[in-house]
Every structure is written in structure tokens, then in C-alpha cells.
Amino acid sequence: MNAKRTPTGARARVGLEGLRIAVIGAGPAGLTAAHTLKKLGYRHVTVFERGEAAGGKACTLEHGGHTYEMGAIWLSSDYEVVNELAAELGIATKAYRIKKNQVEADGSRMTFSAVAKKKYGAPAVARALLNYAKVRFRYARVFAPGFAGAPPEVRASFSEFAETHGFAPLADMLRAFTVACGYGYYEEVPAQYLLKLFHWIVPIALRDAANEALGLRLPGLVVPEGGSQRIWTELARKLDVRLRSAVTRLARTEQGIDLTVNGEVQTFDRVIVSAALDQASTFMEFPADVAGMIKGLRTYRCHISLVEVEGVERQNTSFFYENMFRKNMGRMLVFGTRYADTNLFTTNQLSDGTMPEDELERLLEADVARFGGKVVRVVAKRSWAYFPHFPRELLEAGVHERLEALQGKEGIFLVGGTMSFESLEDSARYARDLVIEHFSDRAAASVASPARRRSETLAEVRP
């Protein structure tokens, strides 16, 4: 287990409480960083957000008396930082216990427990779980915050890694969750990324199976009261967050760090950048080798729609297994609602960013029809550039080690999905740990924390 890190009992480094600190981006990483700084005692922390609202990809739509997630969907009951924030803000969470099915190519629907029995058999699943446990032990570093210092084996594609290490049946069973949530295709995403996701979804899947088989009520997925975005909008109210504030230039000067915000220059002593690095590279300079690597950053396009549908069972979530492969890119991945009194459903589709909207709508309507329903209208939709990650060749070139080596250089720090992993918890936890490591009097922890281990690893790669 990772050593738990918290600002409780820590404080700002002596004499630095008056630092002017800017945070660029009011998503989970940026807001967690700013909140942690405030708890440590820093008095001048300003968050700049170019959008209309805080929360980043945690985006909740209110419609007809219900809330619908148009970005980040669920929380895990195992989330530490996010659930603690919700509790601190007085936001209750409740279990997401809606029936979940996998839809096969022939249209048949099965629970995930039934899929395990029918497609793989209990002995194969048990062996896969045991082998996955061995992976957790052998590659413990991979499951800690950040990516630097990961062993070479995890640079292989996730499908290759799962096959080599004997947990392919488990990986295939959970394919629907990983792809449907926007994390790409097994055959092309390096294992070191998706292993971080498996850290959360394997325990959830095991609890779901136990609940189904034994009638238990073990915790798994949870939803915040008012939606996932509410955590971040409520947190933003406690901070100095400037919405509709676009940062177009970051420049280091003798006086500090100048930010050009909506055309005006403001000066700070430290800056934490939580924007995606390909976006950040439009307003700040990186070393030439790192800038070249950032150009190789990859994302998927995640298309979430709220649609009115006739002829489909309510209060269920269905995952479409055959659409979880690149050959069926653009087709509907997941389709569901947790409400019994409405026929509005949320759907998710994945693309490479080049598919036109009318083609995506055509594929959506066709898949709903194959499922036995009819799309009456599209109520709302959002499209995200999601899950920033690097291909294998850049991992082998040490891209994450180079990025970590930049932390704190000339007063600038990097957080967000590129530096951690684009889940709410991973982004928030990495940001919290970085602030505690670099800004608190507990930087030299007696227990080797994940952040400290990263620093020790980086000492080996710095010139």
C-alpha cells in the first residue's frame, strides 16, 4: 500500500506563506492543488480557468429534475482524495447499484458474472485473478502515482502484457469498462496506463460479483449527490477561481513568472500548470527534447450524448462488447440510465477525432435500433479530447522521466492527466502529493512516499 499523504498537521514552508501562486486550470487536479495549498496556509493562490465552469471533464447536466454525467461518470468507494473532498464539502455519495449487462454480438445480454462463467469458466478466471495478483506485487511501482521509473515490460500493449502475464481472461472481461470509459483499445495502449485503471476496477468487479452471487451489499461504484461536477464547483467556491480567464502566455522574468490572462499581464512566484501538456505548449516553452515528445502525445475523442429513446428497459446500463475494438470505432459503447421515470439515456462513443458528427449520430441510431429501441431526439452532447498518453517509443525514450525532471524548475510545476492518469482520483492524488512534496514542511517524510520514490528515481536520470 502507498503511504497516505495528507496536509493535516503540515504547513507552508517557513517564510513562504506569502508566495503568489497561480494554478492554470480548474479541473480536479488544479483545484486539488489549490485546495491543498490553502490548507497548508498559502494565502495568495489564484486559479485561472478558461471555461465557463469549474470541474474540467467532470461535467454534470441537470435536466428534468435529474442529473446526467456528460464527462466523468462514476467514483469508486476506494477513492481516497475525492471521497474525502466530498465529505469535507458535505456532499453525500450513494452506491450505484443499477443492473449492468454485457451485450454480445448476437444481441444476447448477460450479467458480467454470467459472462465469466460462459466465456471463460471459473478455473480460468481464478487463474487470471491469481496471475493479476502476482502482477500487482511484482510491478507495485506502476500502481503508485505518476509514471516515471516504470519497468520496461509495462511499455508493451496492454493486450500483449495481459497475455504474457496470464490474466488475459480477466482483462477481456473488463474490456467493456475500460474502453467505454474512454481509455482506448487494448491492442494499442501501453500497459503502464491501463494497469492504473485496473487498480480501481478489479476490486469493483469482484465486489459486484460477490453482491450478485451472495446477495451482499459491498461498496463499489458510487455517485455524488448532485453529480460528480458538484464536488469541484463547491470546492471552487472556497478558492479564488477566475472563470473565463484564458492564459495565453507564460514567461519567466527577473520579477517572477508573468502570465498573460485575457490580454493582461500578472506576475507570480510559482505556477502550477494543470492544463493538458499539448495545450500548455501553446502558451509556455518546454525544453526542445520535451517539446518534441509532447507533439507525440495521443488522445481519443470521447463523445457523450443524452438521448431520448423509446422501447428500451430503464434503470440498466448495457455495454456492447463487439464495439470495444478499433475496427468498430465510433459505434455505441455503453447505454444506460439509473432512473425509472424517464426515457433519457446517456451513451458513449469513441473516435480518433476525425469522424464527422453526422456519422457518429448515424452509428448511434443504428446501434440503438439493434438494441430494440428508437432514438427520438438528441437532448445534449459533449465531446472531449480524453486520456492523454504516450506511445511505446516515447516511453522508451524516457518521456515521463524527463517531464518529472522539470518539476519545480524556475518555479513551474506540472499536474493533470498527462502527469498521472486521467481518472478523478489519480489526477487529484498526484496533485495533492506534488504540493505536499514541494510546498510543505513535511517534504522530507520519514516514510518513503510515492512522490519521494519518484524523486529518487529521477535523481538517476537527471544529467
Side-chain angles (χ1 to χ4, degrees):
M1 294 291 292
N2 297 331
K4 184 175 181 179
R5 296 175 67 79
T6 170
T8 303
R11 55 189 173 184
R13 288 189 172 180
V14 176
L16 299 183
E17 299 91 339
L19 284 179
R20 300 163 297 175
I21 305 175
V23 179
I24 302 175
L31 290 173
T32 302
H35 179 62
T36 307
L37 286 165
K38 183 178 178 181
K39 293 186 80 170
L40 290 173
Y42 289 91
R43 301 188 298 270
H44 308 293
V45 181
T46 307
V47 182
F48 296 106
E49 167 56 47
R50 65 176 180 173
E52 300 284 329
K57 297 182 182 72
C59 177
T60 303
L61 172 68
E62 294 187 16
H63 183 85
H66 293 308
T67 58
Y68 299 92
E69 301 299 348
M70 305 298 290
I73 301 173
W74 299 303
L75 310 182
S76 166
S77 58
D78 295 324
Y79 281 4
E80 174 198 329
V81 179
V82 177
N83 287 329
E84 285 182 357
L85 281 173
E88 182 180 334
L89 295 165
I91 299 173
T93 60
K94 61 181 180 179
Y96 186 92
R97 300 193 187 279
I98 302 305
K99 180 169 58 178
K100 296 181 283 293
N101 296 299
Q102 180 163 293
V103 181
E104 298 296 313
D106 61 4
S108 61
R109 286 186 283 174
M110 296 185 289
T111 65
F112 283 89
S113 294
V115 169
K117 294 176 183 177
K118 182 175 180 180
K119 294 184 73 171
Y120 313 104
V125 173
R127 285 193 298 272
L129 283 167
L130 176 60
N131 289 331
Y132 173 73
K134 293 177 181 177
V135 166
R136 286 297 311 267
F137 178 79
R138 180 177 179 183
Y139 299 101
R141 171 65 196 91
V142 176
F143 297 91
F147 294 110
E153 302 94 285
V154 300
R155 299 169 187 160
S157 71
F158 188 67
S159 57
E160 179 185 341
F161 184 86
E163 188 68 39
T164 299
H165 290 80
F167 67 98
L170 176 66
D172 193 50
M173 284 170 52
L174 298 177
R175 185 188 300 267
F177 288 95
T178 59
V179 181
C181 289
Y183 295 105
Y185 303 103
Y186 281 9
E187 59 268 30
E188 57 194 33
V189 176
Q192 76 174 84
Y193 293 106
L194 294 186
L195 284 172
K196 289 189 181 293
L197 182 62
F198 264 51
H199 174 73
W200 306 115
I201 64 174
V202 170
I204 291 172
L206 291 175
R207 291 171 197 158
D208 279 354
N211 291 341
E212 180 184 330
L214 303 174
L216 303 177
R217 297 182 69 81
L218 299 174
L221 296 172
V222 298
V223 289
E225 183 181 281
S228 64
Q229 187 177 8
R230 184 183 170 207
I231 296 173
W232 310 105
T233 55
E234 292 292 332
L235 185 60
R237 289 191 179 99
K238 295 180 174 293
L239 302 167
D240 181 7
V241 176
R242 317 278 179 89
L243 301 176
R244 297 175 290 278
S245 298
V247 176
T248 54
R249 185 168 183 266
L250 182 157
R252 303 160 184 85
T253 68
E254 291 184 1
Q255 290 72 38
I257 304 169
D258 285 353
L259 295 185
T260 303
V261 185
N262 291 345
E264 297 184 359
V265 176
Q266 302 182 43
T267 303
F268 296 88
D269 301 301
R270 304 285 188 275
V271 174
I272 298 176
V273 179
S274 71
L277 294 192
D278 53 351
Q279 176 192 333
S281 65
T282 66
F283 61 76
M284 63 180 288
E285 289 186 6
F286 289 91
D289 63 327
V290 175
M293 291 175 171
I294 290 174
K295 290 180 180 178
L297 192 67
R298 295 179 179 178
T299 59
Y300 293 94
R301 200 78 195 173
C302 194
H303 309 267
I304 300 178
S305 302
L306 179 63
V307 294
E308 181 181 351
V309 176
E310 294 178 343
V312 176
E313 178 188 5
R314 298 173 183 177
Q315 281 192 301
N316 82 92
T317 298
S318 295
F319 298 84
F320 295 80
Y321 178 79
E322 67 173 328
N323 294 346
M324 306 295 168
F325 301 85
R326 175 172 273 277
K327 65 180 181 180
N328 286 329
M329 178 180 285
R331 292 181 58 182
M332 186 168 66
L333 300 169
V334 62
F335 176 82
T337 182
R338 56 193 174 104
Y339 304 117
D341 61 346
T342 178
N343 60 345
L344 297 183
F345 292 75
T346 51
T347 72
N348 196 2
Q349 298 162 275
L350 206 63
S351 80
D352 59 4
T354 64
M355 299 182 72
E357 285 294 325
D358 57 351
E359 174 66 6
L360 288 165
E361 288 190 15
R362 185 190 70 78
L363 291 171
L364 174 61
E365 291 177 359
D367 276 331
V368 170
R370 292 176 67 240
F371 192 54
K374 178 184 178 181
V375 175
V376 177
R377 63 186 175 116
V378 177
V379 177
K381 56 185 177 181
R382 292 297 301 267
S383 178
W384 306 97
Y386 195 66
F387 177 38
H389 61 283
F390 291 99
R392 181 173 186 168
E393 56 268 24
L394 288 178
L395 297 181
E396 291 175 344
V399 59
H400 285 297
E401 287 74 16
R402 286 291 293 119
L403 288 169
E404 287 285 356
L406 296 179
Q407 297 289 25
K409 292 291 181 68
E410 299 184 279
I412 297 171
F413 300 85
L414 306 172
V415 297
T418 312
M419 301 301 296
S420 53
F421 177 74
E422 199 154 55
S423 75
L424 293 178
E425 178 68 10
D426 287 288
S427 293
R429 183 178 297 200
Y430 181 94
R432 178 202 64 181
D433 285 3
L434 178 133
V435 168
I436 293 172
E437 178 186 3
H438 291 277
F439 291 84
S440 84
D441 61 1
R442 287 177 46 193
S446 58
V447 177
S449 67
R452 183 173 177 181
R453 288 199 298 269
R454 285 200 304 274
S455 298
E456 292 169 351
T457 300
L458 293 171
E460 300 174 3
V461 301
R462 290 191 180 106

